[in-house]
C-alpha cells in the first residue's frame, strides 16, 4: 500500500510539473469540449515485432504490408520522429510537428535487417529497437547482434531496454519472495541499460514492458530511476499522459491491415487524468470497475463516448459528476484483457479520442 501511495504522489508531482511547463511555453491549456486542441503535442507510437512472412502470425507483419504502412505515412504527411526526442519535447512543453509518429520494434529480431530497417534507412526515418541482451547473446541466429545493433544505431535507430531475458516482470516465479522477485527485475533492467551504454555508447533510459505487463511498484521504481516506460495498450501520448506506462498501437498480426492503421493514426489522447488510473492488477472484483476523471467536466455529457471489452463487446457506462464509471458486463478471463474507449472528436470527421486500460488477472476472484 505504501508503494502505491508513493507512486500516486510521484505521478501527481510529474503531472503538475508538466502543466506548469506547458503554461509557460505554450500558454494556458484549453480543455473545453468544443475548443479542445486535440492535435497539440500528441504522439502516435507504432509497435512492431517481426517483419517477415514466415514468423508467428500474432506478432508479424509481412514486408509487403510493412511497405504499405510506410507508404501511407509518407504520402499523407506524417512526420516520423525519434522517440526519445519527441517524448522529451512533450514533457518540456515544446511543440511537436503535426501528425508526429514514432516507430518501435520489440525484441530486435534479425529479420528486421532484411527489409524493415533498410526501408527506414532509405527514407531517413528513425525507429527504436527494444532489445533483450541475454537473448541476443544466447540465440545469435534469431536476434540482431551487438555489431548489427551498433551499425543500425549509426543509421539513426535508437537501441533501448526490454529487459535482460524477456521475463514476465509481474508474474513472480515459484521460489522467490516478492522482494527477491522485484530485485531480480530491477537488476534485469539496470544490467540491460548498462550493456546498451557499453555496447552502443548511449543510454536513453527508455523501457518497454515485456508483454505490456506492469504494476505500481515497478512504475514507482522506474520513475525514481528516471526511466520512461512503454506498455502495449492502445492510445496516444500527450502532455498529461503517465510517462511510466505510455501507450503504443500494435501494428502487426491482426492489426497489420492498412484500414486498421489509418483508423489509429486518426486518434488523440482521451483527455482524462491519467494519474488516477489503477494498476492493471488492481482487480478487487471481476469484472473490475474503472473510473475515469475528465480533465474538463464538459466531456462528461458527450453521449457518444463508448467503451469495449476484450472478447465481449460494449461495456456498461455510468456518467458521474466530472467522471465516468466503466465495467464489463461479464467477468474477464484469466490473463491479459483491456477496456478500450473512444470518443469522436467534434469538428474532425473520422477522428477519435482513444484510451485503453489494460488488466492482468493472475487468479480467479470467485
Amino acid at each position: 500500500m505504501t508503494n502505491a501511495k508513493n507512486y500516486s504522489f510521484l505521478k501527481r508531482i510529474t503531472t503538475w510539473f508538466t502543466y506548469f511547463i506547458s503554461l509557460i511555453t505554450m500558454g494556458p491549456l484549453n480543455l473545453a469540449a468544443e475548443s479542445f486542441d486535440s492535435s497539440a503535442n500528441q504522439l502516435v507510437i507504432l509497435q512492431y515485432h517481426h517483419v517477415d512472412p514466415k514468423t508467428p502470425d500474432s506478432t508479424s507483419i509481412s514486408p509487403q504490408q510493412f511497405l504499405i504502412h510506410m507508404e501511407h505515412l509518407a504520402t499523407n504527411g506524417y512526420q516520423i520522429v525519434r522517440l526519445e526526442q519527441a517524448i522529451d519535447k512533450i514533457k518540456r512543453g515544446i511543440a511537436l510537428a503535426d501528425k508526429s509518429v514514432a516507430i518501435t520494434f520489440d525484441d530486435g529480431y534479425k529479420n528486421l535487417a532484411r527489409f524493415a530497417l533498410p526501408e527506414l534507412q532509405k527514407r531517413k526515418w528513425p525507429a527504436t529497437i527494444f532489445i533483450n541482451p541475454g537473448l541476443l547473446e544466447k540465440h545469435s541466429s534469431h536476434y540482431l547482434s551487438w555489431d548489427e545493433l551498433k551499425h543500425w544505431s549509426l543509421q539513426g535507430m535508437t537501441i533501448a531496454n526490454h529487459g535482460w531475458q524477456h521475463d514476465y516482470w509481474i508474474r513472480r516465479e515459484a521460489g522467490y519472495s516478492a522482494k527477491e522477485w522485484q530485485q531480480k527485475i530491477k537488476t534485469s533492467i539496470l544490467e540491460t541499460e548498462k550493456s546498451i551504454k557499453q555496447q552502443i555508447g548511449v543510454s536513453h533510459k527508455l523501457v518497454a514492458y515485456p508483454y505490456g505487463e506492469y504494476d505500481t511498484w515497478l512504475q514507482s521504481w522506474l520513475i525514481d530511476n528516471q526511466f520512461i516506460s512503454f506498455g502495449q495498450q492502445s492510445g496516444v501520448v500527450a502532455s498529461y499522459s503517465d510517462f511510466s506506462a505510455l501507450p503504443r498501437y500494435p501494428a502487426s498480426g491482426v492489426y497489420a491491415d492498412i484500414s486498421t492503421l489509418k483508423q489509429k493514426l486518426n486518434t488523440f489522447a482521451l483527455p482524462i487524468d491519467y494519474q488516477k488510473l489503477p494498476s492493471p492488477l488492481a482487480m478487487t472484483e471481476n469484472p473490475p470497475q474503472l473510473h475515469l476523471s475528465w480533465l474538463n467536466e464538459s466531456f462528461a455529457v458527450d453521449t457518444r463516448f463508448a467503451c469495449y471489452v476484450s472478447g465481449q463487446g460494449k461495456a456498461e457506462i455510468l456518467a458521474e459528476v466530472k467522471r465516468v464509471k466503466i465495467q464489463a458486463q461479464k467477468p474477464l478471463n484469466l490473463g491479459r484483457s483491456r477496456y478500450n474507449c473512444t470518443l469522436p472528436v467534434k469538428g474532425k470527421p473520422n477522428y477519435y479520442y482513444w484510451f485503453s486500460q489494460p488488466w492482468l488477472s493472475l487468479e480467479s476472484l470467485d
Side-chain angles (χ1 to χ4, degrees):
M1 191 67 178
T2 300
N3 282 342
K5 288 182 178 178
N6 290 339
Y7 172 66
S8 178
F9 174 75
L10 286 168
K11 288 175 76 176
R12 290 184 178 279
I13 291 295
T14 301
T15 298
W16 284 112
F17 178 76
T18 301
Y19 278 132
F20 177 72
I21 293 298
S22 297
L23 291 173
I24 292 174
T25 60
M26 299 175 65
L29 293 174
N30 185 350
L31 294 173
E34 294 292 344
S35 59
F36 180 71
D37 186 0
S38 56
S39 63
N41 250 22
Q42 305 253 331
L43 175 67
V44 169
I45 305 174
L46 301 180
Q47 179 207 21
Y48 297 94
H49 287 83
H50 294 282
V51 181
D52 192 296
K54 299 178 181 179
T55 45
D57 290 342
S58 61
T59 55
S60 300
I61 183 172
S62 71
Q64 293 77 15
Q65 289 174 308
F66 185 77
L67 180 60
I68 291 172
H69 283 199
M70 299 304 103
E71 285 294 325
H72 178 78
L73 294 171
T75 58
N76 287 276
Y78 291 95
Q79 305 300 308
I80 310 305
V81 298
R82 293 187 69 93
L83 180 61
E84 67 274 16
Q85 293 178 356
I87 295 298
D88 182 63
K89 286 183 177 180
I90 291 173
K91 292 190 71 177
R92 294 167 57 197
I94 300 173
L96 293 178
D98 191 25
K99 302 176 76 171
S100 287
V101 173
I103 297 171
T104 67
F105 299 96
D106 282 11
D107 308 326
Y109 292 110
K110 194 174 283 288
N111 58 58
L112 298 179
R114 290 199 288 269
F115 180 81
L117 297 178
E119 179 65 25
L120 295 176
Q121 180 186 18
K122 181 179 69 176
R123 299 173 184 273
K124 297 182 178 180
W125 284 357
T128 297
I129 307 171
F130 290 102
I131 66 163
N132 307 103
L135 294 183
L136 71 87
E137 292 172 1
K138 288 182 179 180
H139 305 288
S140 58
S141 63
H142 290 85
Y143 300 95
L144 295 168
S145 69
W146 281 120
D147 285 343
E148 290 172 308
L149 291 168
K150 179 67 174 179
H151 165 77
W152 288 111
S153 73
L154 295 174
Q155 309 307 312
M157 310 305 164
T158 296
I159 311 304
N161 195 324
H162 205 30
W164 193 261
Q165 293 275 16
H166 209 289
D167 298 301
Y168 284 97
W169 288 355
I170 305 305
R171 308 186 194 204
R172 176 160 43 109
E173 293 180 3
Y176 287 87
S177 68
K179 184 177 181 180
E180 289 170 340
W181 181 252
Q182 291 180 12
Q183 186 56 52
K184 180 181 187 297
I185 300 309
K186 293 172 184 178
T187 299
S188 168
I189 296 169
L190 292 175
E191 287 300 309
T192 297
E193 201 66 27
K194 180 180 177 181
S195 292
I196 292 172
K197 180 65 182 296
Q198 290 175 339
Q199 297 284 346
I200 306 300
V202 61
S203 165
H204 294 292
K205 305 199 82 169
L206 306 177
V207 173
Y209 296 116
Y211 311 102
E213 298 179 3
Y214 58 90
D215 193 16
T216 51
W217 68 264
L218 183 53
Q219 291 174 275
S220 180
W221 180 82
L222 288 165
I223 289 174
D224 286 345
N225 287 272
Q226 300 180 316
F227 284 94
I228 303 295
S229 308
F230 303 84
Q232 295 184 19
Q233 74 277 16
S234 299
V236 182
V237 178
S239 61
Y240 40 85
S241 295
D242 178 358
F243 289 86
S244 69
L246 293 175
R248 296 183 291 165
Y249 280 121
S252 303
V254 296
Y255 306 107
D257 185 81
I258 187 61
S259 62
T260 301
L261 179 71
K262 290 178 180 178
Q263 181 186 50
K264 292 178 176 179
L265 290 169
N266 290 347
T267 58
F268 304 110
L270 191 72
I272 58 172
D273 188 346
Y274 288 81
Q275 315 312 312
K276 293 182 178 180
L277 294 177
S279 161
L281 285 172
M283 291 180 59
T284 56
E285 60 180 336
N286 192 5
Q289 290 187 12
L290 174 66
H291 290 87
L292 303 182
S293 299
W294 297 104
L295 291 179
N296 186 290
E297 62 187 89
S298 57
F299 278 89
V301 300
D302 197 323
T303 58
R304 300 172 302 164
F305 179 70
C307 295
Y308 303 84
V309 183
S310 301
Q312 291 191 24
K314 278 194 172 184
E316 294 180 346
I317 295 177
L318 176 63
E320 301 174 341
V321 177
K322 298 184 180 180
R323 67 177 192 171
V324 60
K325 183 179 77 173
I326 303 152
Q327 188 170 27
Q329 299 190 48
K330 297 183 293 185
L332 304 182
N333 294 329
L334 291 176
R336 295 188 294 271
S337 301
R338 296 182 190 174
Y339 289 178
N340 293 314
C341 300
T342 62
L343 174 65
V345 178
K346 292 183 178 180
K348 293 182 76 72
N350 301 318
Y351 277 76
Y352 292 84
Y353 299 110
W354 196 296
F355 164 76
S356 179
Q357 169 64 33
W359 298 108
L360 179 59
S361 177
L362 300 181
E363 59 183 18
S364 175
L365 296 178
D366 296 335

